[in-house]
Amino acid sequence: MANHGPVVYSLKVPGARLHYEIQGAGPLLVVVGLPMGCKGFAPISRPLAEHFTVVTFDPRGVHSSPADDPNQDAVPELMADDVHRLISALDAGPAYLFASSGGGVTALALAAQHPDQVRMLVAHEPPLLELLTDRAEVRAAIDEICDMYREDRPAALQKYLALADIRLHRPTPEPPGPNSFTAPWDVWTILDRLFHFTLRPTTRYRPDIDALRSIADRIVIAGGSKAQGALFHRTAVALADQLGTEIVDFPGDHTGFLTDSEPFAQLLFEVFTKARSHNGS
């Protein structure tokens, strides 16, 4: 099937307008990121659109999804309500979901609140720090980094990357100045949103484990094969343990959907296909 690229839409939700894009044909697959939006998932969206109707979107406050209150915290329940309204507006039945990082927290909140909308969820390294035994220390480190970001953005970013053991696969962006050009993907705009309004509420979210256990057969917890021992791989393992499931390692590290996009998309297709065959749909 030829993939002619995404068609752009928008959806008004309480307090924001969501920019979303649709490409491909087949069962509904919604890709959820935070703070990552449509552009960051393009490398896997294109091949997946050969098999699914792929929907990507910019979360409220990011890129082309303006929020009425730009200083509003990205509380997981609020972000999940946006996805709930998007899936409802698409009116295509329950969705397959691939959700990465903070988007994994969003999707888990959605699954707990609206399990009828989730056909299958792959949650890739959701940063659920409250599930860790050393959560107090990591919480304090996150607070320090967010406070530091207000004064020295590059230093705070480097400290965060070291804490999470995330490797940038492109040069660290220079902070914008009076003579600077916009960085690719408006990188600092995403980072501002992350450190000011997203990182604290996302990492302090406590998932409803009982609700998730009731649909554990529809949830796959994923980790990066090159991220074992890193902070967010640890949180993925902790969640899998809570749900009584095994973690599935995907190619690459925390951003494997960017660096290893072809094998990453292939494994996603295989996981969803297995679920379709198991469920007879």
Side-chain angles (χ1 to χ4, degrees):
M1 179 187 301
N3 181 5
H4 299 294
V7 180
V8 174
Y9 300 89
S10 69
L11 175 69
K12 187 71 177 72
V13 295
R17 179 170 291 278
L18 297 182
H19 166 99
Y20 68 100
E21 302 178 2
I22 300 179
Q23 58 184 313
L28 177 63
L29 168 57
V30 178
V31 180
V32 187
L34 186 68
M36 189 75 77
C38 297
K39 292 181 181 178
F41 292 111
I44 62 169
S45 298
R46 286 188 289 267
L48 287 169
E50 298 295 330
H51 311 282
F52 298 92
T53 299
V54 178
V55 178
T56 55
F57 67 98
D58 293 341
R60 68 165 62 208
V62 175
H63 287 322
S64 300
S65 291
D68 295 349
D69 178 5
N71 297 323
Q72 183 181 45
D73 281 343
V75 178
E77 292 87 350
L78 174 66
M79 309 308 286
D81 187 66
D82 286 347
V83 182
H84 159 63
R85 292 173 185 273
L86 176 58
I87 293 174
S88 298
L90 293 168
D91 194 25
Y96 293 99
L97 294 111
F98 167 66
S100 175
S101 194
V105 177
T106 299
L108 289 164
L110 172 76
Q113 295 167 3
H114 302 284
D116 56 306
Q117 290 192 320
V118 178
R119 179 170 293 182
M120 188 78 184
L121 163 62
V122 175
H124 184 258
E125 298 202 347
L128 296 167
L129 301 183
E130 294 301 305
L131 300 182
L132 300 178
T133 56
D134 58 344
R135 55 187 171 273
E137 294 87 345
V138 182
R139 190 188 307 129
I142 292 290
D143 283 342
E144 181 182 352
I145 289 167
C146 289
D147 291 341
M148 178 190 295
Y149 189 84
R150 300 181 184 279
E151 303 296 330
D152 189 340
R153 291 196 288 180
L157 174 60
Q158 291 301 328
K159 191 164 187 176
Y160 171 71
L161 294 174
L163 173 70
D165 195 18
I166 296 174
R167 291 171 293 281
L168 284 183
H169 301 282
R170 62 184 69 236
T172 302
E174 291 293 330
N179 299 314
S180 67
F181 296 98
T182 302
W185 305 356
D186 297 322
V187 171
W188 284 106
T189 300
I190 292 181
L191 292 173
D192 287 351
R193 183 73 186 164
L194 173 66
F195 288 107
H196 290 319
F197 306 112
T198 303
L199 191 57
R200 280 177 167 130
T202 301
T203 56
R204 293 182 182 183
Y205 175 73
R206 285 185 171 273
D208 186 336
I209 296 297
D210 288 339
L212 296 176
R213 280 178 181 155
S214 70
I215 57 168
D217 60 331
R218 288 185 271 150
I219 299 175
V220 172
I221 308 302
S225 61
K226 297 179 182 177
Q228 295 184 13
L231 182 60
F232 299 145
H233 192 281
R234 289 173 54 212
T235 59
V237 170
L239 178 59
D241 288 344
Q242 292 268 348
L243 298 181
T245 61
E246 296 291 329
I247 192 167
V248 176
D249 279 327
F250 272 66
D253 54 19
H254 190 64
T255 57
F257 56 90
L258 285 172
T259 60
D260 299 80
S261 54
E262 289 189 13
F264 198 105
Q266 179 61 33
L267 182 53
L268 265 178
F269 171 67
E270 291 170 3
V271 168
F272 288 137
T273 300
K274 183 178 180 181
R276 288 169 65 182
S277 135
H278 176 74
N279 296 329
S281 58

